[in-house]
Structures are given as structure tokens and as C-alpha cells.
Amino acid sequence: MADYVIGIDGGGTSCRAALADRNGTLLGCGKSGASNILTDPDTALRHIAEAAELAFEDAGLTPDLSSASAILGLAGNNVGGAVGYVTERLPFARSQIVSDGVIALQGAIGDEDGAIGIVGTGTVYIIRSHGQFRSIAGWGFQVSDLGSGARLGQLALQETLLAFDRIRPMTPLCEAILAEFDNNPELIVDFARLAKPGDFGRQTPKVIDYARRGDETALRILHTGAAGIDEALDTVTALSGDKTKLCLLGGLAPLYPPYLAERHRLRLSEPRADAMTGAVELAVKAFPPGARMEACA
Amino acid sequence: MADYVIGIDGGGTSCRAALADRNGTLLGCGKSGASNILTDPDTALRHIAEAAELAFEDAGLTPDLSSASAILGLAGNNVGGAVGYVTERLPFARSQIVSDGVIALQGAIGDEDGAIGIVGTGTVYIIRSHGQFRSIAGWGFQVSDLGSGARLGQLALQETLLAFDRIRPMTPLCEAILAEFDNNPELIVDFARLAKPGDFGRQTPKVIDYARRGDETALRILHTGAAGIDEALDTVTALSGDKTKLCLLGGLAPLYPPYLAERHRLRLSEPRADAMTGAVELAVKAFPPGARMEACA
């Protein structure tokens, strides 16, 4: 019987799986729905199995999840109860749940020491130094995640109300946001009261768009976000050294470099692979062929 | 039959009433519970009547609410449905609901043109110019109210997490806040996720306390808050002129002047009276003796 490794990259919107042989040679990929183990562990379990089965099919194989050993990079991996519940119910021969940041770092920089900053709806930094992991920021938009999409969007709404009140200039960005809310500031307030990070984040593409056209407010928002990222990257550099690799990942990663301090901009490198590939690499290392018999015993 | 005027200052935590004769001479005061007409209009109605009855008793009179004409300054006065519901059910001979800001401004500066800034859990500015009112800010802590108690408290938690992550220095203020959350940043995050403005605001006394001792983080937070207030006061001055009265009211009003720009600090004057007194003054003006018969007809 052949056996396989599987790398899973699961999050709040989708779950991606890669199937590889024991040497890490990629055989097939699959994708399914949300796999948030905190908010809905049973759905997460179903989508994890579904993505893995699709990866088998993509490889031209009959799905046999019990023949595979898996590394799963999942948001919420630091919450003990959820991890225990999910681990017990996973369909793989052997499984290990790690943080989504750890597989992203492995994919981006490989086995070396170094660091990544994931700048999407939230912002988090992961450092590997002498094999030890450490994360910075990522506490959520209410009190953290400076520079994240959620914070930029929230700032855009704040700037719009400041412009409405004539405290700051009414620029085209503010006019566009006000128009979206029927020129009624009360509707912005109603929206903000209940908005989740992703809701705020949906204002961010507009900020980027108007910044490109030189909009003063949009540029101020991006400079504020970049300042928050610069400060965090100073700490990342202090912890990881300035000779190691540093990658920015996430939806806003392509946006920020022109706004960052030169000392960080010049250090950035392109990620070598994605998080799912990182999970496969970790699985190859975590489950060497010799370990199979014991684990199956 | 004698008749009276009543001034009501009602908000989320208490309702205060002042009874006066038709010349505005104060006869008695009463205080009861919350009177938020948006969240609980029936309780608000009960507490309004209770405070007014206590004012009659304080004056040595048998309560007779139907002999009084009232101005009620109530938060939420700009929400039509709530105002209609409450107005129809008020026990007074005649009633008019205005904003809590309007009675505060009347109390603080009297009949002149001028402006007030109310800096408490939220922040709002009210301007009277040629008899017309205008308000600025006050849209809530998520996207407005820079410098408010809620925003200062939220910043204090953010600074604490930045210090925990070594992005900014760990100062005694941050240590005190961390200790309050069992030195567990996750507990700060859990708190912030559900915190209401008043919950964040409860961190603010600590910020003030540590700022007095020279704490770098506390001072940074207060300077950030003061910068937001300075910016708003520039707009207030542009709208009201720099020759008119300007008062700061609210729980944080005594705190801010040393941190404000000199151009604003030198303009500030002490409020001449409180909001309840402002409501009485407005009631005397709104319900002159000659108008009584028509209104009762």
C-alpha cells in the first residue's frame, strides 16, 4: 500500500489541500469551503475531508484518507478545546494541527530562519529564530492589527465623518464613501457599529484606488497603515536579525512596499511558495517513512 | 392655579429635573434613573415623571405634573420614532424635547452665540451661531469621538498589546493594564471584542493617573486625544468665530486644557450653569405666560 502526505491550508473562507508522495512530490490539489475550527468545527472537519478527497481525485487516485499523514495549518490553532475536538475526529492516519502562520512561513522562506508579515484583513508577523516560532500582533482590529485591511477601512470611514464635519478636507475618496452611504453619515455609524473586520476591509480597495490618483485622505490612511507596519517590522528585525529573509504575504502585501521605510523595503523578498506547499513540506518532515509502522501499530 | 416650568436633563445613567416658577426662579430639584428614550422609552417615561415629582416634593409642593410646562434635553432626540412615542405620553401640560447638547450649551453659555465641547465617554461639539445650532463629531467611538474616554481607553489597550509584542516600550501603565488582565493578552482581546464605549472608558482614569506620574505611554495617549480635540476645535472656531464663548464640559473637561493648543486653551471659559438649569431657562422662554391659555384650550 502506497502512503501519502497531505498539506492543508484552512481558513475562514476556504480550505485547500495538496496531496504528495513521501518525498514531497506534488500529486494533486483540492479546494472546499470554510474551515474555521473555532466557529464551526464540524463544518471545518467536513471541508477538510472534502478538500483532501478532491486532491486524491485530482491525482487520479481513489480517495483513501487513512493512507495519508497530514499537517493542517489552521487559524485558531492556539485554542486548546477546538484543536482537541478536531484532532480526534480527523480522518487521516496521522495528523498534526499547526498555526496558519507556521505553514505560510514554511512556504515563503523554507527551512531557514526568517520572518513573514501577513497583511490581509488582519495583520500578524511570524518569526522563526533558531527553530523557535514567535508571533507578533494579530490580536484583532479593535486593539491591534495596525495597517490591516480592517484598520484601513475603519480609518476611511472615520476620515469621511471628519470631512463631513469639516474637521478635515472633503476629498474625492470621502465623497465616494459618503455617496455609498446615501450621503447620510448616520448610515456610516450604523454600519460601523456592527461591522466585522471583513466589512471594514471592503472599504480598503477604494482607499488604494484613490491613493493611486493622489487623493490626500487616501494617502494619509496608507501612510498611517505603513507607519504601523514599519514599527512592527522594526521589532521583527530586532528578533530575527537583519540578515534573514523577510516576506510580506496577504492581500495587501503588494500594496505596501512603496510606503514602507527603506530599511524594510530593501530587505523584502518574494515568497518562494504558498502556505499549502509549506504544509506539505512540514508533513514530509514530520512523518518520515520510518515512522510509519510505529504510528500504525 | 399656579403654573410652573420644568427642565429635564435625561441620559443613559440618570434623569434630573428642576422645577421653577414662570420667571425661572428655582423651586426644587429631583433625580431618578436612566432615561434613554431609544433603548427603553417606557422606563425613560417613568423616570422622567419620577424626577419631576421629586422636584415638586423638594419644593414643598404636591406633585401636579399637568400644571407644568417642560423642556426635556434627551440623548437620542434626533430619532423621530422615539421622540414621537415619548412626546405623546409625557405627563406635562406642554412639552418639548430637544437635544442634550442644546440644554448643555444654554446652561454653559446662556443666550449668546458660542460653543461647547462635551468630552466624556463620547465627544461632541455644539455650536450656536446666529441662533442656529450645529453639532460636530459625536458619531460613536468606532469611527468618531477622537479624544473621548472610550477612545483613550481603547488606545490604552492597544498600547498595552504593542508593548507586550515589544513594538513599543513596556511602561508602568501597560504593566498595570496587563496585570488587570492576569498578564494574558488574550483576555484583553476577549474584552475588547465585546466592549461598549463605557467599558473602554473605564481604562481612562488609569491613563490620567499614570500621565500625572510622567508615564510615556499615558502621555502619548493623552497627546493623541488632545490632538483630535484641537482639530475639532479649529473647526468649531471657524464656524462660531473666535470672539464667542467656548466651554468644555463632561467628565474629561478638567483634564484636557494643559494638553490643548494654546489658541484653544486661552479661549476656554468656565460654564456658567449646568444643563438642567439650561433646560429651565429654555422652558421659561419657550412657554411664556401669555401662551398658556391657547395651549390649554
Side-chain angles (χ1 to χ4, degrees):
Chain A
M1 179 185 113
D3 68 355
Y4 303 100
V5 296
I6 285 189
I8 300 271
D9 175 17
T13 51
S14 69
C15 179
R16 302 197 311 142
L19 180 73
D21 66 20
R22 298 298 294 264
N23 301 314
T25 305
L26 194 68
L27 304 172
C29 295
K31 186 175 172 180
S32 63
S35 53
N36 186 320
I37 62 172
L38 289 184
T39 58
D40 191 349
D42 292 315
T43 300
L45 279 163
R46 190 160 49 79
H47 284 154
I48 288 165
E50 191 182 319
E53 283 163 4
L54 290 169
F56 269 92
E57 287 170 14
D58 187 43
L61 298 165
T62 304
D64 175 13
L65 303 189
S66 67
S67 71
S69 302
I71 290 282
L72 302 96
L74 301 174
N77 76 297
N78 53 349
V79 180
V83 169
Y85 181 90
V86 170
T87 301
E88 279 172 19
R89 289 163 178 76
L90 284 168
F92 308 111
R94 291 166 298 181
S95 313
Q96 197 181 319
I97 296 180
V98 300
S99 91
D100 48 350
V102 163
I103 63 168
L105 183 134
Q106 179 69 33
I109 69 173
D111 296 332
E112 302 170 40
D113 278 355
I116 56 169
I118 309 178
V119 192
T121 303
T123 303
V124 67
Y125 305 86
I126 320 278
I127 299 152
R128 183 165 55 200
S129 177
H130 306 296
Q132 298 294 305
F133 291 97
R134 173 164 186 163
S135 92
I136 281 179
W139 303 108
F141 82 103
Q142 288 98 342
V143 284
S144 178
D145 294 11
L146 304 182
S148 65
R151 292 295 289 248
L152 297 186
Q154 190 182 29
L155 277 175
L157 299 180
Q158 177 171 304
E159 291 282 344
T160 301
L161 291 174
L162 287 168
F164 179 86
D165 280 333
R166 303 196 196 180
I167 295 173
R168 292 196 183 160
M170 179 64 77
T171 67
L173 171 67
C174 301
E175 282 168 354
I177 292 174
L178 254 184
E180 186 192 326
F181 288 95
D182 297 338
N183 291 306
N184 182 353
E186 299 276 0
L187 295 183
I188 295 181
V189 176
D190 288 346
F191 171 86
R193 199 159 24 220
L194 301 173
K196 296 196 186 322
D199 300 327
F200 282 120
R202 274 189 282 283
Q203 293 296 330
T204 299
K206 220 179 280 150
V207 175
I208 295 165
D209 186 27
Y210 279 86
R212 287 208 182 96
R213 305 187 216 167
D215 186 278
E216 175 191 341
T217 304
L219 287 167
R220 180 165 54 234
I221 293 168
L222 287 187
H223 284 297
T224 301
I229 292 175
D230 273 335
E231 265 196 298
L233 289 180
D234 283 333
T235 302
V236 167
T237 301
L239 292 168
S240 69
D242 62 359
K243 302 287 178 262
T244 60
K245 269 196 183 167
L246 174 67
C247 296
L248 284 189
L249 312 174
L252 297 180
L255 161 77
Y256 269 117
Y259 299 97
L260 294 180
E262 197 180 44
R263 63 184 179 281
H264 300 309
R265 193 170 62 244
L266 298 178
R267 272 193 66 203
L268 293 175
S269 61
E270 285 298 311
R272 51 185 274 290
D274 65 11
M276 189 174 63
T277 306
V280 169
E281 289 178 14
L282 291 174
V284 169
K285 269 197 275 270
F287 307 115
R292 188 169 69 91
M293 299 311 287
E294 306 127 47
C296 293
Chain B
M1 179 184 113
D3 69 356
Y4 303 100
V5 296
I6 285 187
I8 301 269
D9 175 17
T13 51
S14 68
C15 180
R16 302 198 311 142
L19 180 73
D21 65 20
R22 297 298 293 264
N23 300 313
T25 305
L26 196 67
L27 303 173
C29 294
K31 185 175 174 183
S32 62
S35 53
N36 186 319
I37 63 173
L38 289 182
T39 58
D40 191 349
D42 291 314
T43 300
L45 279 163
R46 191 158 49 79
H47 284 154
I48 288 166
E50 191 182 320
E53 284 163 3
L54 289 169
F56 269 93
E57 288 171 12
D58 187 42
L61 297 166
T62 305
D64 176 13
L65 304 190
S66 67
S67 69
S69 301
I71 290 282
L72 303 95
L74 301 175
N77 76 296
N78 52 350
V79 179
V83 169
Y85 181 88
V86 169
T87 301
E88 279 173 19
R89 288 163 178 78
L90 283 169
F92 309 109
R94 293 165 295 181
S95 313
Q96 197 182 320
I97 294 179
V98 300
S99 91
D100 48 350
V102 163
I103 62 167
L105 183 134
Q106 179 69 33
I109 69 173
D111 295 332
E112 303 169 40
D113 277 357
I116 56 169
I118 308 178
V119 192
T121 303
T123 302
V124 66
Y125 305 85
I126 319 279
I127 299 151
R128 184 166 55 201
S129 179
H130 307 294
Q132 297 294 305
F133 292 95
R134 172 161 187 167
S135 91
I136 281 180
W139 303 107
F141 82 102
Q142 289 97 342
V143 283
S144 177
D145 293 12
L146 304 184
S148 65
R151 292 294 290 246
L152 296 186
Q154 190 183 28
L155 277 176
L157 299 181
Q158 177 170 304
E159 291 282 345
T160 301
L161 291 174
L162 287 168
F164 179 87
D165 280 333
R166 303 193 196 182
I167 296 173
R168 291 194 185 162
M170 178 64 76
T171 67
L173 171 66
C174 300
E175 281 168 355
I177 292 174
L178 254 184
E180 187 191 326
F181 288 94
D182 297 339
N183 291 305
N184 182 351
E186 299 276 0
L187 295 182
I188 295 181
V189 176
D190 287 346
F191 172 86
R193 196 157 29 218
L194 301 171
K196 297 196 186 320
D199 300 327
F200 282 121
R202 273 188 282 285
Q203 293 297 329
T204 298
K206 219 178 280 149
V207 175
I208 296 165
D209 186 27
Y210 279 87
R212 287 207 182 98
R213 305 187 216 169
D215 186 279
E216 176 191 340
T217 305
L219 288 167
R220 180 164 56 235
I221 293 168
L222 287 187
H223 284 296
T224 301
I229 292 176
D230 273 335
E231 265 195 300
L233 289 179
D234 284 331
T235 302
V236 167
T237 300
L239 291 168
S240 68
D242 61 0
K243 303 287 178 262
T244 60
K245 269 195 182 168
L246 174 66
C247 295
L248 284 189
L249 312 174
L252 296 181
L255 162 76
Y256 269 117
Y259 300 98
L260 294 180
E262 197 180 44
R263 64 184 179 282
H264 299 309
R265 194 170 62 243
L266 298 179
R267 271 193 65 204
L268 292 174
S269 60
E270 286 298 311
R272 51 184 273 290
D274 65 9
M276 188 173 64
T277 306
V280 168
E281 289 179 15
L282 291 173
V284 170
K285 271 197 274 270
F287 306 115
R292 190 170 68 92
M293 300 311 288
E294 307 126 49
C296 292

